[in-house]
Amino acid sequence: MRCVLGLAALLAVCVPSGAAQAAPASCQGADVPVTGVVETTMHGTLCVPAGGTADTVAVLVPGATYNHTYWDFPYQPQTYNFRQAMNSSGYATFVVDRLGTGASSRPPSALVTASVQAGAVHQVIQALRGGRIGGTNFRKAILGGHSLGSLISVIEAGTYNDADAVVLTGITHRIIATSVVDIFTSSFYPADQDPAFAGKAYDPGYLTTRPGTRAADFYAPATTDPAVVTTDEATKDVFSTAEAADGLGVADLLPYSRQIQHPVLLTVGDQDRFFCDSQSGNCASAAALKAQEDPYFGSAACLHTYVQPGAGHDLNLATNTAPYQQAVRDWADAFVGAGPEPITPPAKACA
């Protein structure tokens, strides 16, 4: 047994000494029928740790211009693959492609709003709990998102409250407007104009990033592996202007974030150009971030925060991503747990 100090030094979490070691997982793809504005399918991959004893599944939602590869990164997976890290700690995972991306259906972009995406994720969680994916009735679920995927997760959790815990990465309630305007005006453009998507019949409402812009937008120079950026560029995807329109801004996050009734972990890299301001120091520490974010969540969220020094917007793809991944797993162990045992966090954890 080894003990690690996590949750901004609030909790001492003890885990088996082999928990962080890579363990083989059994994976299978699934197309989940979802209804809403349109009838379509959301694709995902279910990975269950060896032994098939996981009672908790983490549903992971990627951000704008990403598909499942953000969470299931193919380059140096021992470092950058978050899905594999969760599996190695005993958690099952279901990594989705947002509607319009990857192997999911591609409805007209005008119909693909953040709320529609949230409704689709809700139906995925229900299917996992009901044993309709892979044959396992998962008793507990963790909902995790990155960037736009986090915004979608806030809407889902605040509307349905069907996840036992929520992990939000690459997001805060404070947006650096100049950086958001900059990426929309200089980096994003219609996917049908990009060589990677030419001839694939994307309508003009689907956007992607211009070639060569991702390193400056999503990474911090000190924690960037050029090979990661190359892989990122090769696997990039799209997003719809409609999901960005109703998925950005504090006004759109509220009142959803205040309605979340389960524990929340919010994490960022301190070099995130879209959410961190060096002058205000809002991302200078976990405590500073918590002070900023606490007013946007109710007491039931038992908000915890984590800041990864030196990481940019894509903190999962930073060279120093390991402490962030460990912090998420420590928090999940403390508040949910991978197995069937009920978890009772120490009372001081939510003080």
Side-chain angles (χ1 to χ4, degrees), residues 149-321:
S150 288
L151 297 165
I152 291 166
S153 296
V154 169
I155 295 172
E156 197 284 338
T159 302
Y160 304 103
N161 274 295
D162 56 356
D164 298 275
V166 183
V167 180
L168 306 174
T169 77
I171 183 181
T172 75
H173 283 78
R174 177 177 182 172
I175 294 177
I176 309 302
T178 54
S179 295
V180 174
V181 170
D182 178 64
I183 193 173
F184 268 89
T185 56
S186 64
S187 298
F188 293 150
Y189 75 139
D192 61 5
Q193 298 179 21
D194 190 285
F197 304 104
K200 296 185 178 180
Y202 284 87
D203 72 54
Y206 279 109
L207 306 181
T208 191
T209 51
R210 297 180 187 275
T213 61
R214 299 178 79 82
D217 288 332
F218 301 145
Y219 296 82
T223 55
T224 299
D225 180 343
V228 167
V229 179
T230 299
T231 305
D232 185 353
E233 181 70 36
T235 58
K236 72 179 182 181
D237 217 299
V238 303
F239 70 101
S240 79
T241 53
E243 64 182 319
D246 76 340
L248 289 174
V250 174
D252 296 306
L253 283 176
L254 295 171
Y256 295 108
S257 58
R258 287 202 180 109
Q259 294 171 351
I260 297 175
Q261 299 298 308
H262 296 95
V264 174
L265 173 65
L266 189 149
T267 78
V268 297
D270 71 351
Q271 300 300 305
D272 190 325
R273 65 186 294 249
F274 304 110
F275 298 102
C276 296
D277 178 10
S278 59
Q279 291 185 338
S280 70
N282 66 318
C283 300
S285 66
L289 183 61
K290 184 170 172 27
Q292 172 186 284
E293 293 297 307
D294 258 336
Y296 301 107
F297 293 90
S299 59
C302 187
L303 179 66
H304 282 80
T305 54
Y306 178 83
V307 175
Q308 182 57 40
H313 184 60
D314 285 356
L315 67 167
N316 194 60
L317 302 181
T319 55
N320 65 344
T321 190

Side-chain angles (χ1 to χ4, degrees), residues 29-91:
D31 292 313
V32 183
V34 295
T35 58
V37 176
V38 292
E39 291 191 10
T40 184
T41 59
M42 177 168 273
H43 182 83
T45 299
L46 175 66
C47 293
V48 179
T53 58
D55 198 49
T56 303
V57 60
V59 178
L60 303 174
V61 187
T65 76
Y66 284 94
N67 51 42
H68 65 279
T69 56
Y70 177 79
W71 298 108
D72 201 354
F73 206 66
Y75 172 72
Q76 292 191 358
Q78 70 278 10
T79 298
Y80 300 106
N81 193 304
F82 186 92
R83 184 275 300 170
Q84 182 173 292
M86 292 297 288
N87 292 156
S88 72
S89 289
Y91 293 90

